[in-house]
Amino acid sequence: MSGQSVMPGRGRKPKPNQKKQLAGSKHTNPDSVDFQLITDVDAPEWLPELAQKMWRTVAPHLCKEKVLAVTDLHNLEAFCSAYDSFRQSEIHIKENGLVMLGATGGPIKNPACTVKNESLRQMTMYGAALGLDPASRGRLIGKTAGGGGNDFEDF
């Protein structure tokens, strides 16, 4: 490569400072910013019905696990909005199929398939920021209380 350096992947995302403190880690940052945690929050009225339903499903769990701060609300809004787009595109695909007639009369991929894929990408990105997948949940929340470790450890 002509003088270009290759940047390796960013690696594992750091555990939030508050979770490090709760775990008793010696690697905490005493100067870290501490944002106010939310204990209960209603879905914004502007969100469509399916997005509000997802909000009411996810928000209580995030609040209970003490991972939702005021500064995370935009991530939750974006996640729920992407979920609504995903579901709407699924409905459209079910009703109209994967292939449709284009403007010239020939078959084309249903544009809702593209919307579905983009929505899934957004849900993955914002969901990871909120700890909604197993890997990021472990990073944000840590081991669950009473978790006896790995059941497959002996294998």
Side-chain angles (χ1 to χ4, degrees):
M1 302 183 115
S2 59
Q4 293 180 343
S5 64
V6 177
M7 301 222 15
R10 291 181 51 194
R12 179 183 285 182
K13 292 182 181 177
K15 190 178 210 178
N17 196 57
Q18 183 182 21
K19 294 299 176 181
K20 289 180 187 178
Q21 290 172 339
L22 289 172
S25 173
K26 63 180 180 178
H27 301 289
T28 60
N29 179 1
D31 299 325
S32 71
V33 178
D34 189 19
F35 293 107
Q36 178 183 357
L37 293 176
I38 295 174
T39 57
D40 186 28
V41 62
D42 292 329
E45 292 180 13
W46 63 265
L47 281 176
E49 182 182 343
L50 287 172
Q52 287 191 16
K53 185 175 181 180
M54 178 55 72
W55 182 289
R56 290 188 300 269
T57 300
V58 174
H61 295 287
L62 295 173
C63 291
K64 178 183 166 212
E65 292 298 331
K66 298 180 180 169
V67 295
L68 189 62
V70 174
T71 54
D72 299 321
L73 289 179
H74 68 285
N75 286 332
L76 183 55
E77 289 177 19
F79 175 81
C80 293
S81 181
Y83 173 77
D84 180 72
S85 296
F86 165 74
R87 289 291 304 271
Q88 294 298 333
S89 62
E90 275 293 322
I91 292 167
H92 188 275
I93 292 167
K94 186 175 182 178
E95 291 174 355
N96 299 291
L98 293 172
V99 179
M100 304 176 66
L101 292 179
T104 60
I108 61 166
K109 177 177 92 171
N110 186 336
C113 294
T114 302
V115 173
K116 177 183 171 183
N117 288 335
E118 290 174 2
S119 299
L120 282 171
R121 247 189 306 275
Q122 291 171 355
M123 287 172 59
T124 301
M125 180 178 65
Y126 290 113
L130 294 166
L132 298 178
D133 62 83
S136 60
R137 186 170 37 254
R139 175 180 53 81
L140 290 174
I141 299 171
K143 291 184 178 181
T144 57
N150 185 352
D151 292 337
F152 300 101
E153 197 170 354
D154 295 334
F155 292 102

